[in-house]
Amino acid sequence: MQLYTITQRSAAIALKQESPDGVTMTTLHTEGWTWKTLLLGILLPTLAAFSLHAANSTVALDSLLAFTESDDDEWSTYMLTTSYDWSGSTVYLPNSYFGYYSLTVSGAILKSSQMYIGDEADYNVITLTGSSTQWTNSSYLYVGRKGGNNALTITGGATFATQYAYIGKSWFENTSGAAYSADSNAVTVDGSGSLLTVSSALYVGGAGSYNTMTVTNGGAVVDHNATIGASSEATSNSVLVSGSGSTWSTKYDLVVGDMGHYSNLTVSNGGTVTSNTLTLAKSAGSYNNSVIVSGSGSTLSVSGSVIIGLIGSGNSVTVTNGGKLYSGSSTLGGDSQGFTTTNNTALVSGQGSVWTAKTLTIYSGNTLTVEDGGLLKITSSLTLQSGGYIEIDGGYLAWKGDQSLTFQSLVEAGNFQVYNSSTGKWETVTDTSLFSIEYVSSSDDSSLLTDGIYTDLAGYTVLGLAETDSSLLTMEFTALRISLDVVPEPSTWAMFVLAFSIMGAVYAVRVQNVLYGNLRNFKGKENGDYGQHI
């Protein structure tokens, strides 16, 4: 028979479980309890699976569990395999300023209200592992509220569910004016079946910097709204979704840089990210945020709007190495409500790299580049403001329908640029003969016009550089730079004429000598003389 003893100890409950294998002591910190010693001889079956808990209590895992110091006497570790129901309680690891705690949960089912991994402490880790491991948190999860280098890892098919999640929450100054921030905190979801569910909002870098979320090897994250780099103090926060089967799904709005800067989302090696909207630099003060979709099978799919630089500048989207981006209405450098910014860019580079957009508007001062076999595919409308450019260098632009005349008008209006290798610069051209503009009626034509890369462009008009682009571009760039002041003076012409006359006379003499020598050789051979004649 198992015996459980509850005793009062410094306003805390100590739960003592005795078994034939020995004694395990755990302590559950609470407030307002006045229990005296109570012996429970026989407990209900449910108590064998779940520990006692008190609503609105504080659970300090560093005190509740008997952590063991590691060999280097730096980290304290514990393996938790017992299920606990802390519903209504706030769980801390640790409930102090001292860190270096590592908790592994395996095969346990846990419940809590709020959870802090590194509230004000650094270097604390919770790892959930195994398909039978579940943790349900009904309110806020903080991985590094004020602390740094804290981590939550979900692996081996384990699951964690919460309403809100902050990875690196705060930036603050103490009374002495010293600044502290929640930096370098991390959440990792790794392996098939491993799942993080956020029923409301997920923040990667609320106000801290260098905080990360990584989804790999078939792991999954599901949320309603997500922000990378929320406040103006947030810098260089990032999310990586990598590997076949790895997914991040945001039901509504995905923001890369709300007020933060240098925020990044990378989708690589077959990972998948989906959302309703995607906005880079949503609020004032945000700049230099980026999205990268790289590698075959890597996909970013946005059913609604993609805005690259709503308020701030220097933002970028890159689709490369066979990655795919799908979007609804898309804008580069502003939106239809009147917000405009400059120096935002998009790049589609490499064979098989495709950005498919329903609509695309490029505002003045912003540029989209298609190069090295990449494809920009427009299914509805394309709008280029004056000073908004598309750069073409070995890539293709496909626009649904017969858009031949419209393409010609955009080229003549100066909205296209090509790369001049002699100057190393992109230069605006208005000559339509520099481009191949063809309406595609069949998959064979599609393949022919794109060097065999794309076969699905029937019904589109395809624009690319003409096959003779190198010579034509050289001629045009040269023509742009010729001026009258380089025309030779009359005296210079005279010297040219004299030089050519002398060269012509010398050439005539050499020809005459050659002919004479050949004639002598011929006569000698007629007389049986095959020797050399000089």
Side-chain angles (χ1 to χ4, degrees), residues 157-186:
T159 63
F160 189 100
T162 187
Q163 183 180 8
Y164 296 92
Y166 281 92
I167 307 170
K169 168 66 169 65
S170 299
W171 182 94
F172 66 99
E173 292 183 357
N174 63 13
T175 55
S176 302
Y180 296 86
S181 61
D183 297 339
S184 302
N185 300 286

Side-chain angles (χ1 to χ4, degrees), residues 72-100:
D72 58 10
D73 293 329
E74 184 174 25
W75 285 88
S76 297
T77 63
Y78 189 83
M79 171 73 78
L80 177 63
T81 59
T82 303
S83 297
Y84 284 87
D85 184 353
W86 297 310
S87 299
S89 299
T90 300
V91 176
Y92 289 88
L93 181 69
N95 190 22
S96 68
Y97 295 98
F98 304 102
Y100 290 94

Side-chain angles (χ1 to χ4, degrees), residues 208-276:
S209 300
Y210 303 103
N211 299 286
T212 63
M213 183 176 77
T214 303
V215 187
T216 54
N217 300 317
V221 174
V222 177
D223 57 61
H224 273 212
N225 296 286
T227 300
I228 307 172
S231 74
S232 58
E233 293 83 10
T235 183
S236 300
N237 299 285
S238 63
V239 172
L240 170 65
V241 182
S242 180
S244 178
S246 302
T247 61
W248 180 19
S249 177
T250 297
K251 185 175 182 179
Y252 298 114
D253 302 325
L254 172 56
V255 176
V256 181
D258 186 351
M259 290 185 288
H261 38 278
Y262 293 100
S263 307
N264 171 260
L265 166 63
T266 297
V267 188
S268 66
N269 299 321
T272 299
V273 173
T274 61
S275 68
N276 181 52

Side-chain angles (χ1 to χ4, degrees), residues 508-522:
V509 171
R510 289 182 60 84
V511 169
Q512 182 178 9
N513 289 337
V514 170
L515 293 175
Y516 177 71
N518 290 340
L519 179 61
R520 293 182 61 189
N521 287 338
F522 176 73

